[in-house]
Amino acid sequence: MAESVVLDPVDLDLLRLLQNDARTTYRDLAAQVGVAPSTCLDRVTRLRRAGVILGHQLRLDPAKLGRGLQALLSVQVRPHRRELVGPFVERIRALPESLTVFHLTGPDDYLVHVAVADMADLQRLVLDEFTSRREVARVETRLIFQQWDCGPLLPPSPSAQSG
């Protein structure tokens, strides 16, 4: 389990602002939280080094890139041993169709979110990349009709809620 990091109110305000717009300049961030730009830079750098800020990612629309069909693949691996699991996860992560891989408890070992061109592409992916692997005992496919992004991890600051 990762250790939590002690954050003061300025750190939390910086994180709230950055999670909504990671392109905000240090000067603008500093002005909004009431610190000097150099202090803001130092704090954000510290938050990155501590692993609180994991990175900045560009989000792409899979449908606009020819991958309009998304699915969740529940995968059972047997036997579930470290020497099989590591290579399996690395192979699945390397597939261009894989968006996210979750290691689970319960009857399924993995949940893989994929984006493909169409049903034929999904069938090819399941047959060629999943069920053809010796360690894969079962794959169950669920199509995604629609998805919604959820709110930010940190809620707005208490002062923003009251105003």
Side-chain angles (χ1 to χ4, degrees), residues 109-153:
D109 300 309
Y110 295 93
L111 184 64
V112 184
H113 180 191
V114 299
V116 294
D118 52 30
M119 289 299 286
D121 197 24
L122 180 60
Q123 182 181 25
R124 176 207 50 81
L125 178 70
V126 170
L127 293 175
D128 295 348
E129 301 294 346
F130 286 85
T131 60
S132 66
R133 297 186 62 91
R134 288 190 333 215
E135 69 273 24
V136 173
R138 184 178 63 79
V139 176
E140 191 172 302
T141 305
R142 290 177 177 83
L143 297 180
I144 298 173
F145 291 135
Q146 194 170 2
Q147 108 184 35
W148 296 268
D149 289 332
C150 296
L153 183 60

Side-chain angles (χ1 to χ4, degrees), residues 72-116:
L72 297 173
L73 307 179
S74 300
V75 182
Q76 190 177 72
V77 175
R78 291 293 175 258
H80 195 155
R81 293 194 319 251
R82 190 172 302 278
E83 63 270 12
L84 294 175
V85 164
F88 169 77
V89 170
E90 289 311 308
R91 174 64 187 139
I92 300 311
R93 289 184 67 212
L95 294 172
E97 298 89 353
S98 295
L99 301 176
T100 311
V101 180
F102 299 94
H103 190 190
L104 308 171
T105 62
D108 296 316
D109 300 309
Y110 295 93
L111 184 64
V112 184
H113 180 191
V114 299
V116 294

Side-chain angles (χ1 to χ4, degrees), residues 5 20 25 30-31 52 69 71 81 88 94-95 143 153 156 159:
V5 176
N20 291 314
T25 66
V52 176
L69 181 64
R81 293 194 319 251
F88 169 77
L95 294 172
L143 297 180
L153 183 60
S159 60

Side-chain angles (χ1 to χ4, degrees), residues 55-77:
H56 307 280
Q57 296 178 343
L58 180 68
R59 292 180 52 209
L60 303 174
D61 182 343
K64 299 251 186 330
L65 297 172
R67 295 190 184 169
L69 181 64
Q70 293 186 46
L72 297 173
L73 307 179
S74 300
V75 182
Q76 190 177 72
V77 175

